[in-house]
Amino acid sequence: DQDKMKGIGLPIIFIAFFLIAIALNYKQLLNAWQSASGTSDVAWVFRASCLCALFSIFFYISSAWAYGLVSTILAYFLVCISTPQMMQLYGKHAAVIFSIWFLILLGIPSQLSTGLINATTNCQTFYGSYADKMCVDGWQTFLLIIATVQISLTFLCVLCILAASAGTSVVGNVQGEISRIKGDYQQSLTKNAQPAPTAA
């Protein structure tokens, strides 16, 4: 029935599509991992977003499944852009998106969101006749702990994105300035190397 579908069907479907997305984009994910490994700030973005994606899977098996699903999508997007070049282009936009999502996880504004922690406590109402299997006390306590971790990881993602986007912007500006100076220096050498015109 519908309640059993919520408890078993939805988590299986979401996890299956998540694995399919990883399989289809493994080259891009591998490139992000290789690029991030050489840059400390971007590497932290990569690590934080991977953890955020992994922990969000637990909420598929809860009344907060919608929060888990959106968290997975945003974290997966952040993993894919965890390269110095992409972070320089899209880092500020990602910081704004994750900041908004962080507030939603906290339940701010209350008219828009109940918050992740409150959403995990709505088990009895959400699962209905299947609540006796899905709303076990131990599992609910575990979900509350994971919800706290998830909120903290989202906050860490925001901080890491800000640090990485600022760092890559500074590096890009410095590299651009160095290239301009080198170009001007080479032009001056070329002009000095040209023979002086001889008098007729």
Side-chain angles (χ1 to χ4, degrees):
D1 58 0
Q2 184 178 359
D3 294 331
K4 190 174 183 179
M5 178 65 183
K6 292 177 182 178
I8 299 177
L10 286 180
I12 292 176
I13 292 173
F14 293 153
I15 293 172
F17 276 99
F18 183 43
L19 295 176
I20 290 172
I22 293 175
L24 292 176
N25 298 287
Y26 76 95
K27 289 184 178 180
Q28 185 175 355
L29 297 174
L30 182 62
N31 178 58
W33 178 76
Q34 292 173 342
S35 299
S37 61
T39 309
S40 58
D41 290 337
V42 179
W44 275 107
V45 173
F46 183 84
R47 294 165 190 160
S49 55
C50 284
L51 289 174
C52 197
L54 290 175
F55 276 94
S56 67
I57 295 175
F58 289 105
F59 298 105
Y60 296 173
I61 318 170
S62 75
S63 54
W65 64 271
Y67 288 89
L69 192 61
V70 177
S71 292
T72 302
I73 294 171
L74 292 178
Y76 184 79
F77 161 74
L78 189 55
V79 170
C80 291
I81 66 168
S82 293
T83 65
Q85 297 80 10
M86 296 291 284
M87 196 56 59
Q88 185 175 357
L89 291 173
Y90 304 112
K92 294 179 180 178
H93 300 86
V96 172
I97 293 172
F98 266 79
S99 297
I100 294 173
W101 181 239
F102 174 65
L103 293 176
I104 291 175
L105 291 179
L106 292 175
I108 303 172
S110 57
Q111 296 85 355
L112 178 64
S113 170
T114 60
L116 178 59
I117 292 178
N118 288 333
T120 60
T121 62
N122 193 31
C123 186
Q124 296 287 340
T125 303
F126 180 72
Y127 286 110
S129 61
Y130 208 62
D132 58 331
K133 295 181 176 63
M134 301 302 299
C135 303
V136 181
D137 290 340
W139 176 247
Q140 289 301 301
T141 302
F142 176 74
L143 283 176
L144 288 175
I145 296 172
I146 296 299
T148 305
V149 174
Q150 183 72 14
I151 293 172
S152 302
L153 285 173
T154 304
F155 181 55
L156 178 62
C157 284
V158 174
L159 297 179
C160 290
I161 294 168
L162 291 173
S165 59
T168 52
S169 297
V170 170
V171 171
N173 292 336
V174 171
Q175 289 177 342
E177 187 65 19
I178 291 174
S179 299
R180 186 188 65 80
I181 293 173
K182 284 183 177 179
D184 293 342
Y185 178 68
Q186 289 175 350
Q187 284 184 347
S188 64
L189 289 178
T190 303
K191 290 181 180 179
N192 292 334
Q194 291 178 353
T198 57

